[in-house]
């Protein structure tokens, strides 16, 4: 059962349809030093927007006011693959882009640093483990830092295709490892993308996600 978790309280299917969320930065300038404007234009305005458009085409006027996470969870429980894929990819991309910041500071809130150190021995060890997990995620999918409410631990997990964190695992940070996320700038070199990714992670957002997840 997919976790019904309101990581983004504003991500609902509003009357009139789901909408592409605004990004927290000007995507027309890319997201330096990792993503070019062309890469982000394709990923956000073409790929993410296509998931939103297809989700609305499937749902019509159904599920108005419902969260995207709940729509994905119900679709998965019902075995509705096409609906799950569009809803989950809308959620996953909103979560991914929402945690992104151009030239993000390397420093992070003390609570987050303490949690990463407690669970992974050091922040650097966490980053290395996360990058290794992303590189090892076969095919298309997502790499996540999750907070597991079952044992109150942070974990790094992979999902395939449109997969979202499940069960007791709540999302804290994600990295899109579909080739469409990085191919313009990094071609087939996912390890290079993974090595650069933390330069655009907004640690303030990650800390806020963790605070919500661990409530
Ligand atoms: Fe993507």
């Amino acid at each position: 059962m997919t976790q019904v978790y309101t990581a983004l309280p504003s991500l609902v299917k509003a009357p009139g349809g789901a909408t592409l969320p605004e990004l927290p930065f000007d995507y027309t300038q890319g997201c330096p030093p990792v993503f070019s404007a062309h890469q982000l234009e394709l990923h956000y305005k073409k790929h993410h927007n296509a998931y939103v458009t297809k989700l609305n085409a499937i749902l019509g006027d159904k599920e108005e006011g419902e969260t995207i996470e709940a729509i994905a969870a119900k679709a998965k429980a019902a075995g509705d693959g096409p609906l799950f894929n569009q809803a989950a990819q809308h959620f996953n991309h909103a979560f991914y882009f929402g945690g992104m910041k151009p030239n993000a500071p390397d420093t992070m809130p003390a609570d987050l640093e303490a949690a990463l150190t407690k669970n992974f021995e050091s922040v650097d060890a966490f980053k290395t483990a996360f990058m290794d997990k992303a590189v090892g995620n076969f095919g298309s999918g997502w790499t996540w830092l999750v907070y597991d409410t079952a044992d109150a631990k942070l974990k790094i997990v992979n999902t395939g295709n449109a997969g979202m964190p499940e069960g007791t695992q709540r999302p804290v940070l994600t990295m899109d490892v579909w080739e469409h996320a990085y191919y313009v700038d990094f071609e087939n070199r996912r390890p290079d993308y993974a090595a650069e990714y933390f330069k655009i992670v907004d640690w303030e957002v990650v800390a806020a996600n963790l605070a919500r997840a661990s409530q």
Side-chain angles (χ1 to χ4, degrees), residues 86-105:
Q86 305 307 330
Q89 285 293 75
H90 178 25
F91 170 82
N92 292 345
H93 283 89
F95 197 80
Y96 172 66
F97 287 127
M100 203 175 277
K101 182 176 187 173
N103 298 306

Side-chain angles (χ1 to χ4, degrees), residues 144-159:
W144 304 82
L145 174 67
V146 298
Y147 178 83
D148 197 331
T149 59
D151 54 13
K153 288 184 176 175
L154 286 168
K155 299 172 183 175
I156 301 167
V157 299
N158 280 339
T159 58

